[in-house]
Amino acid sequence: MTKTLPASENADQLNIRQEVSGHRQRLRQRFLTASRSIPDYELMELLLFYIFPRKDTKPQAKALMNQCGSLRSIIFANDNVIKKVNGCGSSVSFLMKLLKEIICRISLETVKKERIISSNIHVIEYYQKLLSLEQKEQFRAMFLNTRGKLISEEQLQHGTIDQTPIYPREVMQLALEYGASAIILVHNHPSGIAKPSRQDISITKQLVDIAEKLEIQVLDHIIISRNESFSFAEHKLLSN
């Protein structure tokens, strides 16, 4: 037998739906007329409309802001961080991953259009978006042609919170496969300190030595952390 809700309860639910619908319409209109005046949590609220079509998303938006601290941190947050927020599960996590990928691809398009020379500002910006909030180390590389244009950007290794194994042979094998004349090496430090360790310096020198024998130039090795970056080229750590 179907249970019928009391008329007063049905009316209450209808009022809530109408309030939520009215709020959404007003927020959309405010965004369309003055988007810059919308606070960050309301932008997140607007995004969550597409995950929760009939639900008041303000509590989730504010909770995400409180948990992560900024829009950028929400979009680039780890799955587990998102899922800690009450009411935010795999659907919200997926949406943030999608936004992250779109943002990173747009940033990479800028890099593709220009000639890359060592620690180019757009290269730094791209990797700050991609890696600065990662909780585990990644080792990545850009492979460039003779004109300094990007052939490919690859993730080569994915490690633990404080270590990523780097294999020079794998890096050089890919460089040869792509016919690259130069490479830029990049990895992140989840610890928050963009300073090379002794191992970072040692492995970079090995890579430079091997690359020279293959007539491939290592333009830079960049370390990315949450709020800063370190360039081996700028600090003259690429020469023997």
Side-chain angles (χ1 to χ4, degrees), residues 3-20:
K3 186 177 178 180
T4 304
L5 292 172
S8 60
E9 194 167 342
N10 284 331
D12 288 342
Q13 289 178 342
L14 179 61
N15 287 336
I16 291 170
R17 284 198 298 270
Q18 288 175 338
E19 286 177 11
V20 169

Side-chain angles (χ1 to χ4, degrees), residues 107-108 110-112 114 119-129 142:
S107 297
L108 192 59
T110 302
V111 174
K112 288 178 179 178
E114 59 193 15
S119 55
N120 181 289
I121 186 64
H122 291 134
V123 172
I124 299 289
E125 287 175 352
Y126 169 71
Y127 283 110
Q128 280 288 354
K129 290 184 176 75
M142 284 186 167

Side-chain angles (χ1 to χ4, degrees), residues 48 51-52 64 82 87-97:
L48 294 179
I51 299 293
F52 306 107
L64 282 167
I82 297 291
C88 294
S90 57
S91 294
V92 175
S93 176
F94 176 82
L95 178 61
M96 297 308 124
K97 279 186 174 180

Side-chain angles (χ1 to χ4, degrees), residues 129-189:
K129 290 184 176 75
L130 186 67
L131 296 175
S132 64
L133 297 179
E134 286 291 322
Q135 296 182 344
K136 294 183 179 180
E137 279 199 12
Q138 286 186 33
F139 179 62
R140 306 183 73 98
M142 284 186 167
F143 299 93
L144 313 174
N145 64 20
T146 54
R147 294 176 290 121
K149 292 296 186 73
L150 183 66
I151 301 170
S152 182
E153 193 275 339
E154 302 281 349
Q155 176 181 316
L156 302 178
Q157 297 293 333
H158 191 276
T160 63
I161 193 168
D162 59 359
Q163 189 175 16
T164 300
I166 299 172
Y167 304 107
R169 179 179 292 180
E170 181 182 351
V171 179
M172 294 308 148
Q173 183 177 338
L174 270 176
L176 291 171
E177 286 178 7
Y178 284 126
S181 63
I183 56 176
I184 292 177
L185 310 169
V186 185
H187 79 281
N188 62 310
H189 280 183

Side-chain angles (χ1 to χ4, degrees), residues 40-52:
D40 288 354
Y41 83 87
E42 287 189 335
L43 287 177
M44 184 54 57
E45 190 180 349
L46 282 163
L47 275 174
L48 294 179
F49 285 176
Y50 298 96
I51 299 293
F52 306 107

Side-chain angles (χ1 to χ4, degrees), residues 25-73:
Q25 290 299 327
R26 289 190 296 272
L27 187 52
R28 285 191 178 103
Q29 191 57 42
R30 282 174 51 214
F31 175 78
L32 291 172
T33 55
S35 59
R36 291 298 176 89
S37 68
I38 300 289
D40 288 354
Y41 83 87
E42 287 189 335
L43 287 177
M44 184 54 57
E45 190 180 349
L46 282 163
L47 275 174
L48 294 179
F49 285 176
Y50 298 96
I51 299 293
F52 306 107
R54 294 191 179 111
K55 186 176 177 180
D56 178 12
T57 58
K58 184 180 289 185
Q60 283 79 17
K62 285 191 170 182
L64 282 167
M65 289 296 295
N66 290 334
Q67 176 73 22
C68 300
S70 68
L71 284 173
R72 175 175 174 269
S73 295

